[in-house]
């Protein structure tokens, strides 16, 4: 449309609809004189948009019901047309037969828009047949009218790719409508410039198909799934592909061949003639072609005209449209007047609020007007986002007015235990799509209390099919659910509400952490749960502050350009968390993931699933939409592997061992090049110089190793102590260790609880045995390396241990213990700082590090040279929700916490405009 304006022409526009209106407006904007508009008569007292627009401009408008009778042109009609003196007829969309006396009258003739690449699909249902035949390319043609049916010479054609799930509406709205308008204007410009071609249509490849009608739209089941899908989408929305089943005619809409990860499990729907019965699933109705491939239908229209989600076909009356009483019909008519009066000419049940031009301010207006109309009925903005069409909105109002709109409460089969002066209610099933459900085959496993080795309860053990269900639920929630429709600020409000609920349940969550993970209760209150709450509050505040930028680029002279970036959610994310901080590690990743607008499938560690499942319950209470959060206890080799391999998962966030992290990274690359962030193993060095505050160094050195029983990813894996303070430091540490109380983690005076699980305890024993064998000096710890028990002979307790004289070549100097084992090496007084640094950095890990010194220059130099993602100076373990956390080298990449964590769950899109 851009460019110099050609010579103006006198044009008659013959047609109708919004397409005709847009073409008319653009032709006038080009400077042409529209001498008359010929459109269809008013229908039910409402004028066609083309005629309405022309009348506003004072252009003569004619609404002939017909142009000819029995094949003969009506003289009076032709005379009125000829009186206008048109030089060109433009027919953007015309449903009437125009006589040749009118077609040939202008000096430039007549041009017509046709929505196919002629000579293919001549006839009135060209878009339908383009899809029915499964064409890979579509488009439109502008041709010179002749006395044949779409056989005139070609003037202009434009083509586009047909997407696998295109329908008549999506193809028209995406390409045929906007590009067709531009094409009509371009064609008129070529005519005005004397450059318009007349290319005879080839007969090779020509097809003609008749008007597609309801009676001819019955599905033929003796064909492939792809052919059935093409038939359904080619008839969507009009006239609608149908079949007979359950004693009635069912019409199918919203079909897709994208069934990756979809499990054909549900209630069978027998269909006469079909290769096998359909299956009604949570995702919709699965159908099968004669090639045994699947397709999915998401909506079904019943014979009485009611439209229902296909997933609810067998759900009874609740799934279909309510029959309204006379009073309710009156209410619906009144709501009609406030619903779309600003946006559309006619309201139908399928009319969509937002697609008709509504904005957020209109949501508020609608809600307030309807509340006033319905005497203070409880109605929220989210209700409009959940019911965007007029029909759905009326149904929602009627249900609310009848008092039966409450969502069925999620049924939770709690395991109840009286512990810590509380009655714990612990979910123990998988959490998928907002429901607690059994695993495939009702498989379970035992989760163990590390304090006494007893079984806490049976927990559902997720299988591969459960992963597929959870991913499908998360994908549907991301693409079709409320989560993607609400504003970022509303998303933040839900996360704040979740944080408040976690705080209300803080004691319960901390008790579960003590019971399931062996966490010391007082520490769990502050760290495991306390920091989890802080994390969700922090990222809730980020929701409406995720912003792109505008970028100056070279201008396309004489035009100008505007380039901007958008930060968008990635989609479905998989999060795999460790067992040392079950709830906190979940929160670090999930809060950022949700704040960015993603949906998530979480695999908690198999040995510590219970706080994650309690968290799932709290997401429901917070109002997080169903499917946004899904939680699958299970094995890493099964659940974690399937998440890494799944084609619909777009991001994996993992905390765990380097070995498993490498495997996940490889799987993410081979499957669909997933985005991945990894927080892996560590062997964090802590350098303590003689000029430090020794009392603080001892205190922080103890914490750096023994915090959370040593089950701490940033634990100081090796301490380097300057000679002159070495012995004093060791003496003080041993004294402090002997004062520590090892015992029941629920006792308020306990400092050190049981190790997380028995397999880990065995590894710690083997680790210490290796240290002794290699010649390190054991100065504190159990001499026989059997668990020290203070509560029960079955508990997984390990006494805090200290090794000195550890040399660089030893196993314990290089490998992480992930337990309460202090590894001490010494360095000579006045030792060259760079030499100490080279020893500290002589590891493939780089998660954290630390230095104690009063010399600020030394502190700055050492912090600069240490190869780790976090450096602590005169402190240790000081993490905060606002400070980014992550490692270097084989400790992984990517960040948790802070603004940087958001980038792990966002993608950046660049958009460039020319004007």
């Amino acid at each position: 449309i851009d460019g110099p304006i050609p010579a103006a022409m006198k044009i008659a526009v013959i047609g109708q609809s919004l397409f005709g209106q847009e073409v008319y407006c653009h032709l006038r904007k080009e400077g042409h004189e529209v001498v008359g508009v010929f459109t269809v008569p008013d229908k039910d007292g409402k004028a066609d948009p083309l005629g309405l627009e022309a009348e506003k401009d004072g252009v003569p408008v004619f609404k002939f019901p017909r142009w000819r009778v029995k094949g003969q042109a009506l003289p009076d009609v032709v005379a009125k047309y000829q009186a206008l003196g048109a030089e060109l007829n433009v027919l953007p969309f015309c449903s009437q037969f125009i006589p040749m006396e009118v077609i040939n009258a202008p000096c430039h003739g007549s041009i017509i828009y046709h929505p196919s690449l002629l000579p293919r699909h001549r006839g009135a249902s060209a878009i339908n047949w383009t899809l029915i035949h499964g064409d890979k390319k579509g488009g439109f043609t502008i041709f010179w009218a002749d006395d044949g049916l779409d056989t005139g010479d070609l003037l202009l054609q434009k083509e586009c790719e047909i997407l696998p799930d295109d329908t008549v509406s999506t193809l028209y709205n995406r390409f045929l409508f906007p590009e067709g308008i531009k094409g009509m204007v371009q064609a008129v410009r070529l005519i005005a410039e004397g450059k318009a071609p007349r290319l005879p249509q080839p007969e090779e490849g020509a097809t003609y198909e008749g008007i597609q009608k309801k009676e001819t739209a019955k599905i033929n089941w003796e064909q492939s799934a792809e052919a059935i899908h093409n038939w359904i989408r080619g008839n969507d929305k009009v006239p609608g592909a149908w079949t007979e089943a359950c004693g009635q005619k069912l019409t199918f809409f919203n079909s897709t061949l994208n069934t990756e990860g979809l499990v054909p499990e549900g209630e069978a729907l027998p269909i006469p003639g079909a290769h096998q019965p359909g299956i009604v699933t949570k995702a919709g109705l699965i159908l099968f072609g004669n090639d045994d491939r699947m397709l999915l239908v998401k909506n079904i229209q019943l014979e009485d005209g009611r439209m229902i989600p296909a997933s609810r076909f067998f759900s009874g009356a609740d799934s279909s449209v309510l029959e309204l009483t006379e009073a309710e019909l009156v209410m619906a008519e009144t709501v009609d007047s406030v619903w779309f009066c600003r946006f559309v000419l006619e309201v139908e049940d399928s009319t969509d609020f937002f697609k008709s031009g509504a904005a957020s301010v209109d949501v508020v207006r609608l809600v307030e007007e309807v509340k006033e109309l319905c005497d203070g009925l409880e109605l929220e903005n989210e209700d409009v986002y959940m019911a965007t069409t007029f029909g759905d909105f009326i149904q929602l109002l009627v249900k609310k007015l009848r008092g039966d709109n409450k969502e069925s409460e999620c049924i939770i089969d709690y395991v109840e235990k009286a512990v810590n002066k509380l009655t714990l209610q612990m979910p123990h099933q998988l959490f998928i799509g907002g429901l607690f459900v059994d695993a495939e085959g009702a498989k379970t496993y035992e989760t163990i209390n590390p304090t006494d080795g007893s079984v806490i309860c049976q927990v559902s053990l997720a299988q591969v099919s459960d992963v597929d269900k959870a991913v499908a639920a998360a994908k549907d929630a991301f693409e079709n659910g409320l989560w993607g429709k609400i504003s970022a600020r509303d998303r933040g409000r839900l996360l704040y509400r979740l944080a408040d609920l976690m705080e209300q349940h803080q004691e319960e969550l901390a008790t579960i952490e003590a019971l399931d993970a062996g966490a010391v209760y007082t520490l769990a209150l502050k760290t495991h749960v306390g920091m989890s709450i802080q994390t969700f509050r922090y990222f809730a505040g980020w929701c409406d502050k995720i912003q792109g930028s505008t970028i100056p680029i070279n201008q396309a002279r004489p035009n100008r350009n505007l380039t901007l970036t958008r930060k968008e959610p990635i989609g479905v994310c998989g999060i795999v968390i460790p067992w040392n901080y079950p709830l906190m590690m979940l929160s670090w990743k999930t809060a950022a993931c949700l704040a960015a607008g993603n949906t998530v499938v979480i695999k908690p560690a198999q040995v510590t699933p219970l706080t994650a499942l309690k968290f799932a319950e709290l997401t429901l209470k917070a109002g997080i939409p169903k499917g946004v959060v899904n939680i699958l206890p299970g094995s890493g080799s099964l659940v974690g592997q399937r998440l890494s391999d799944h084609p619909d998962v777009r991001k994996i966030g993992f905390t765990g061992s380097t070995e498993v992290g490498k495997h996940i990274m490889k799987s993410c690359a081979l499957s669909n090049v997933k985005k991945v962030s990894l927080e892996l193993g560590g062997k964090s060095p802590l350098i303590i110089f003689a000029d430090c505050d020794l009392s603080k160094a001892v205190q922080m050195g103890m914490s750096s190793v023994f915090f959370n029983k040593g089950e701490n990813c940033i634990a100081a894996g090796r301490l380097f102590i300057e000679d002159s303070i070495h012995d004093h430091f060791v003496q003080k540490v041993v004294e402090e260790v002997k004062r520590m109380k090892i015992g029941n983690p629920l006792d308020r005076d306990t400092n050190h609880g049981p190790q997380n699980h028995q397999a880990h305890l065995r590894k710690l024993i083997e680790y210490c045995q290796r240290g002794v064998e290699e010649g390190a000096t054991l100065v504190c710890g159990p001499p026989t390396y059997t668990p020290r028990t203070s509560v029960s002979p079955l508990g997984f307790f390990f006494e805090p241990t200290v090794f000195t004289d550890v040399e660089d070549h030893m196993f314990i100097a290089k490998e992480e213990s992930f337990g309460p084992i202090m590894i001490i090496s010494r360095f000579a007084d006045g030792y060259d700082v760079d030499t100490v640094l080279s020893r500290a950095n002589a590891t493939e890990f780089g998660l954290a590090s630390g230095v104690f010194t009063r010399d600020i220059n030394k502190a700055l130099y050492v912090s600069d040279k240490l190869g780790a993602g976090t450096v602590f100076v005169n402190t240790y373990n000081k993490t905060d929700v606002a400070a980014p956390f992550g490692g270097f080298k084989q400790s992984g990449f990517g960040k948790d916490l802070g603004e940087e964590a958001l980038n792990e769950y966002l993608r950046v899109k660049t958009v460039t405009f020319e004007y």
Side-chain angles (χ1 to χ4, degrees):
I1 297 177
D2 299 326
I5 303 297
M9 291 188 294
K10 292 183 177 180
I11 295 175
V13 177
I14 304 173
Q16 62 204 72
S17 78
L18 288 171
F19 185 81
Q21 178 194 51
E22 287 294 317
V23 171
Y24 159 84
C25 291
H26 279 82
L27 291 177
R28 280 175 54 86
K29 196 179 294 184
E30 287 268 302
H32 299 295
E33 180 186 356
V34 178
V35 294
V37 165
F38 299 83
T39 189
V40 293
D42 295 354
K43 182 180 179 181
D44 298 326
K46 294 183 179 179
D48 183 82
L50 171 59
L52 270 180
E53 192 69 28
E55 286 173 351
K56 290 179 188 176
D57 297 330
V59 173
V61 176
F62 303 87
K63 301 179 181 181
F64 301 138
R66 63 184 62 84
W67 290 72
R68 60 184 188 173
V69 175
K70 296 182 180 179
Q72 299 297 314
L74 295 172
D76 182 52
V77 170
V78 173
K80 289 181 179 178
Y81 163 81
Q82 290 175 334
L84 299 174
E87 298 170 331
L88 174 70
N89 290 333
V90 175
L91 285 71
F93 174 72
C94 182
S95 62
Q96 297 176 310
F97 285 99
I98 310 301
M100 293 307 296
E101 290 88 338
V102 172
I103 293 294
N104 294 329
C107 60
H108 292 298
S110 301
I111 59 171
I112 302 177
Y113 171 88
H114 185 79
S116 79
L117 297 173
L118 293 174
R120 191 162 173 79
H121 305 309
R122 294 169 177 166
S125 297
I127 311 177
N128 303 74
W129 289 105
T130 296
L131 298 172
I132 290 170
H133 282 275
D135 293 358
K136 303 303 181 186
K137 295 288 184 182
F140 63 84
T141 302
I142 298 168
F143 67 96
W144 299 95
D146 65 3
D147 58 357
L149 185 59
D150 303 331
T151 57
D153 292 345
L154 306 179
L155 190 162
L156 181 150
Q157 286 187 319
K158 289 190 178 180
E159 70 173 34
C160 69
E161 180 184 1
I162 304 296
L163 302 180
D165 290 340
D166 263 332
T167 64
V168 173
S169 296
T170 62
L171 180 57
Y172 183 73
N173 292 331
R174 187 181 79 251
F175 184 82
L176 298 177
F177 181 86
E179 295 302 319
I181 293 164
K182 295 177 185 178
M184 288 299 286
V185 176
Q186 182 183 351
V188 172
R189 176 175 286 187
L190 290 171
I191 294 169
E193 294 172 346
K195 299 178 181 178
R198 289 177 177 266
L199 306 174
Q201 279 195 44
E203 283 306 308
E204 183 180 353
T207 63
Y208 172 81
E209 296 94 1
I211 296 176
Q212 193 62 355
K213 298 178 181 178
K214 189 71 174 182
E215 56 267 26
T216 62
K218 186 176 182 179
I219 298 170
N220 171 19
W221 295 103
E222 286 300 322
Q223 51 187 338
S224 67
E226 183 176 2
I228 294 170
H229 164 66
N230 288 336
W231 183 262
I232 293 172
R233 69 182 180 131
N235 287 282
D236 186 343
K237 295 289 186 184
V238 178
W242 59 276
T243 192
E244 291 176 345
C246 293
Q248 62 174 314
K249 184 183 290 185
L250 303 179
T251 305
F252 297 147
F253 300 99
N254 200 354
S255 169
T256 179
L257 287 173
N258 183 11
T259 58
E260 184 71 36
L262 193 60
V263 180
E265 293 180 349
E267 192 165 352
L269 174 63
I271 301 174
H275 188 62
Q276 56 181 292
I279 301 175
V280 176
T281 71
K282 186 176 179 181
L285 172 63
I286 295 177
L287 301 173
F288 297 88
N290 61 9
D291 56 356
D292 290 325
R293 287 189 61 204
M294 299 188 299
L295 63 144
L296 180 70
V297 168
K298 296 183 180 179
N299 297 99
I300 298 176
Q301 186 177 41
L302 306 179
E303 193 163 9
D304 61 8
R306 293 177 295 169
M307 183 79 78
I308 63 170
S311 59
R312 300 180 186 171
F313 182 76
F314 289 120
S315 299
D318 289 343
S319 66
S320 58
V321 176
L322 297 173
E323 295 292 338
L324 306 191
T325 65
E326 296 222 359
E328 289 165 347
L329 287 170
V330 172
M331 180 272 296
E333 289 179 7
T334 310
V335 173
D336 186 319
S337 66
V338 299
W339 174 252
F340 286 126
C341 59
R342 298 184 183 181
F343 310 113
V344 298
L345 299 170
E346 184 177 358
V347 175
E348 299 176 348
D349 280 351
S350 60
T351 307
D352 189 277
F353 189 55
F354 297 101
K355 291 179 181 177
S356 298
S360 57
V361 66
D362 301 298
V363 173
V364 177
R365 173 189 63 80
L366 175 66
V367 167
E368 293 307 313
E369 289 192 41
V370 172
K371 283 164 65 176
E372 184 176 1
L373 173 70
C374 298
D375 297 324
L377 175 73
E378 286 189 13
L379 194 66
E380 297 183 1
N381 295 352
E382 284 83 355
D383 292 322
V384 181
Y385 291 107
M386 286 297 288
T388 61
T389 65
F390 181 73
D392 289 343
F393 187 72
I394 292 298
Q395 290 289 306
L396 181 144
L397 288 184
V398 169
K399 287 179 180 179
K400 282 180 174 287
L401 289 168
R402 293 181 182 181
D404 59 359
N405 189 58
K406 291 183 178 178
E407 291 278 350
S408 56
E409 290 189 8
C410 178
I411 299 173
I412 304 176
D413 180 25
Y414 291 112
V415 170
E416 293 193 356
K417 282 191 178 293
V419 182
N420 200 25
K421 300 180 181 179
L422 298 170
T423 300
L424 301 180
Q425 290 188 313
M426 299 178 290
H428 63 100
Q429 297 167 291
L430 311 183
F431 185 66
I432 300 175
L435 299 173
F436 285 97
V437 296
D438 287 337
E440 171 74 17
K443 292 189 176 180
T444 63
Y445 70 98
E446 296 175 345
T447 186
I448 305 298
N449 181 349
T451 300
D452 58 13
S454 64
V455 175
I456 301 171
C457 64
Q458 296 287 327
V459 177
S460 293
L461 181 68
Q463 305 299 300
V464 169
S465 59
D466 298 312
V467 180
D468 293 340
K469 293 173 187 175
V471 172
K475 183 181 180 185
D476 185 61
F478 181 76
E479 295 179 351
N480 306 311
L482 175 63
W483 192 241
K485 298 175 183 177
I486 61 175
S487 70
R489 196 159 296 162
D490 285 338
R491 187 164 67 244
R493 183 169 56 82
L494 291 175
L495 295 185
Y496 275 124
R497 189 184 299 170
L498 176 58
D500 289 344
L501 282 165
M502 292 170 71
E503 189 168 51
Q504 291 170 26
H505 290 262
Q506 188 165 3
E507 292 183 359
E508 184 178 13
L509 289 165
T511 302
I512 296 173
E513 288 283 67
L515 194 67
D516 199 27
V520 173
Y521 175 72
T522 52
L523 178 64
L525 276 174
K526 177 182 181 296
T527 302
H528 293 64
V529 182
M531 194 172 187
S532 299
I533 296 165
Q534 292 176 26
T535 303
F536 271 97
R537 288 208 173 112
Y538 174 79
F539 283 107
W542 267 110
C543 288
D544 60 354
K545 301 169 188 69
I546 299 171
Q547 302 167 349
S549 58
T550 56
I551 304 170
I553 66 170
N554 288 338
Q555 306 290 353
R557 300 175 183 173
N559 294 339
R560 299 176 65 80
N561 292 101
L562 169 66
T563 294
L564 56 88
T565 59
R566 290 168 48 91
K567 291 186 177 180
E568 301 177 340
I570 296 172
V572 178
C573 299
I575 290 177
V576 182
I577 55 177
W579 43 258
N580 57 326
Y581 295 103
L583 184 63
M584 191 173 80
M585 292 294 98
L586 177 153
S587 301
W588 279 21
K589 296 184 189 301
T590 304
C593 176
L594 296 181
N598 301 287
T599 57
V600 65
V601 179
I602 301 168
K603 193 205 88 64
Q606 187 171 351
V607 293
T608 54
L610 296 181
T611 44
L613 294 172
K614 189 65 182 180
F615 169 82
E617 178 191 345
L618 298 182
T619 67
L620 285 179
K621 292 182 177 180
I624 305 291
K626 295 178 180 178
V628 172
V629 174
N630 305 271
I631 297 182
L632 302 176
S635 71
S637 59
L638 214 64
V639 178
Q641 185 64 56
R642 179 55 181 159
L643 284 173
S644 300
D645 292 337
H646 203 293
D648 289 333
V649 176
R650 293 296 172 185
K651 159 70 196 267
I652 291 288
F654 172 75
T655 295
S657 72
T658 298
E659 180 185 5
V660 174
K662 289 178 178 180
H663 184 79
I664 285 175
M665 190 174 175
K666 181 178 179 181
S667 297
C668 288
L670 293 177
S671 57
N672 59 347
V673 196
K674 290 176 179 63
K675 190 172 184 178
V676 61
S677 54
L678 304 172
E679 194 241 284
L680 308 177
K683 186 66 174 175
S684 303
L686 174 57
I687 304 173
I688 301 178
F689 290 98
D691 62 355
C692 70
D693 178 339
L694 186 59
S695 295
K696 186 175 184 182
V698 170
Q699 175 194 353
M700 288 292 150
M702 293 277 294
S703 174
S704 75
V705 176
F706 302 128
F707 188 83
N708 196 46
K709 311 164 292 175
E711 296 169 353
N712 188 21
C713 49
I714 58 172
R718 190 178 182 193
L719 279 66
F720 295 87
I721 314 293
E722 196 163 1
D723 255 340
S724 60
I725 62 168
H726 175 274
D727 294 347
H728 192 192
F729 180 91
V730 172
Q731 177 189 343
K732 289 288 185 184
V733 166
V734 172
E735 290 172 0
E736 291 298 323
V737 167
K738 290 179 178 178
R739 292 192 186 99
M740 293 173 66
K741 179 189 173 184
I742 304 173
N744 189 331
L746 289 171
D747 290 347
R748 300 312 191 257
D749 59 348
T750 293
N751 305 116
H752 191 88
Q755 303 308 135
N756 187 277
H757 53 283
Q758 193 170 43
H760 179 54
L761 178 63
R762 292 195 185 104
K763 287 182 180 179
L764 295 180
I765 294 171
E766 292 170 3
Y767 185 92
C768 290
Q769 289 171 339
R770 184 82 174 265
V772 171
E773 290 168 3
E774 291 188 338
T777 301
L778 175 70
V779 296
C780 183
T784 58
Y785 307 106
T786 56
R788 167 180 156 186
T789 57
S790 60
V791 178
S792 163
L794 299 176
F796 309 142
F797 290 88
F798 188 89
E799 185 175 348
T801 299
V802 179
F803 279 101
T804 61
D805 302 320
V806 178
E807 298 179 12
D808 294 353
H809 69 275
M810 292 180 179
F811 175 82
I812 63 174
K814 296 183 288 186
E815 297 299 325
E816 179 182 30
S817 70
F818 211 66
I821 304 171
M822 183 177 286
I823 307 298
I824 299 177
S825 298
R826 64 172 73 214
F827 63 95
D829 290 333
Y831 207 46
D832 177 53
V833 173
D834 286 323
T835 304
V836 179
L837 281 168
S838 68
R839 295 176 67 192
N841 284 329
T843 172
E844 271 299 300
F845 300 110
L847 190 57
S849 59
V851 57
F852 277 80
T853 176
R854 285 191 172 98
D855 184 338
I856 186 63
N857 293 319
K858 189 187 295 181
L860 288 170
Y861 182 79
V862 171
S863 66
D864 184 47
K865 295 296 182 179
L866 282 169
T870 295
V871 180
F872 298 108
V873 179
N874 295 328
T875 188
Y876 209 88
N877 286 329
K878 184 59 180 176
T879 55
D880 187 86
V881 294
F885 179 91
F888 296 165
K889 299 185 285 187
Q890 291 196 43
S891 287
F893 52 84
K895 297 295 182 183
D896 290 326
L897 305 178
E899 181 182 0
E900 284 83 354
L902 290 169
N903 295 325
E904 304 297 331
Y905 298 94
L906 293 166
R907 61 186 185 187
V908 178
K909 178 183 289 182
T910 301
V911 183
T912 297
F913 296 86
E914 188 161 313
Y915 59 98

